[in-house]
Amino acid sequence: MSSTQTLYDISTVIQLSVAPVFLLVGIAGFINAFVSRLSRVVDRRRYLQARLRHEDHEFHKTAIRELELLEARVRMVHLGITLGITTALLICLTIVSAFIEYFLGIDNPLLIGALFVLAMFSLIGALLAFLREVFLAIRSLNLSQIGKS
């Protein structure tokens, strides 16, 4: 570390890294929501598969359609979790890059900016996957109500 790097300089780097850390907390909550939704889909899928053995033909057709929707929901949740974790990793790389640049005396804002922009694209993808999964869940509500009658 050179003599020009002072406590003030490192505290500035720390301050700049705090905002992305808060973003990480939000992303963790978002991933938790995805995991919860995945759990519900798996439970519903197991329930329907167990009932398929004992129900009539009409229920069977409805259950098959709902199982197809559940499969699409699983794909969206998987995509959302993957993109959420990718976002978190990119944010972590952004923070680490800022510190490495500081300690090595490198000034490459393009790298940090690019990592952050990639993280935002990944987050946008995760949000879109979440939105699509919610739409699929709403569609499956009508089918599940038919199966209960």
Side-chain angles (χ1 to χ4, degrees), residues 65-76:
R65 286 193 318 231
E66 187 174 350
L67 285 168
E68 290 168 356
L69 277 173
L70 290 173
E71 184 62 32
R73 287 181 64 189
V74 166
R75 283 193 305 273
M76 285 298 107

Side-chain angles (χ1 to χ4, degrees), residues 19-76:
V21 169
F22 283 116
L23 183 58
L24 284 174
V25 172
I27 292 167
F30 191 56
I31 291 170
N32 187 39
F34 267 125
V35 170
S36 174
R37 294 182 78 80
L38 179 61
S39 175
R40 292 180 138 199
V41 168
V42 168
D43 289 344
R44 179 69 181 165
R45 185 175 171 179
R46 286 180 181 154
Y47 170 78
L48 286 173
Q49 287 174 332
R51 279 193 62 192
L52 273 174
R53 296 183 203 113
H54 308 291
E55 296 290 338
D56 62 10
H57 181 68
E58 186 61 37
F59 175 83
H60 188 78
K61 290 189 317 187
T62 304
I64 294 297
R65 286 193 318 231
E66 187 174 350
L67 285 168
E68 290 168 356
L69 277 173
L70 290 173
E71 184 62 32
R73 287 181 64 189
V74 166
R75 283 193 305 273
M76 285 298 107

Side-chain angles (χ1 to χ4, degrees), residues 18 33 37 68 78 112 142:
V18 168
R37 294 182 78 80
E68 290 168 356
H78 180 261
I112 292 174
N142 294 334

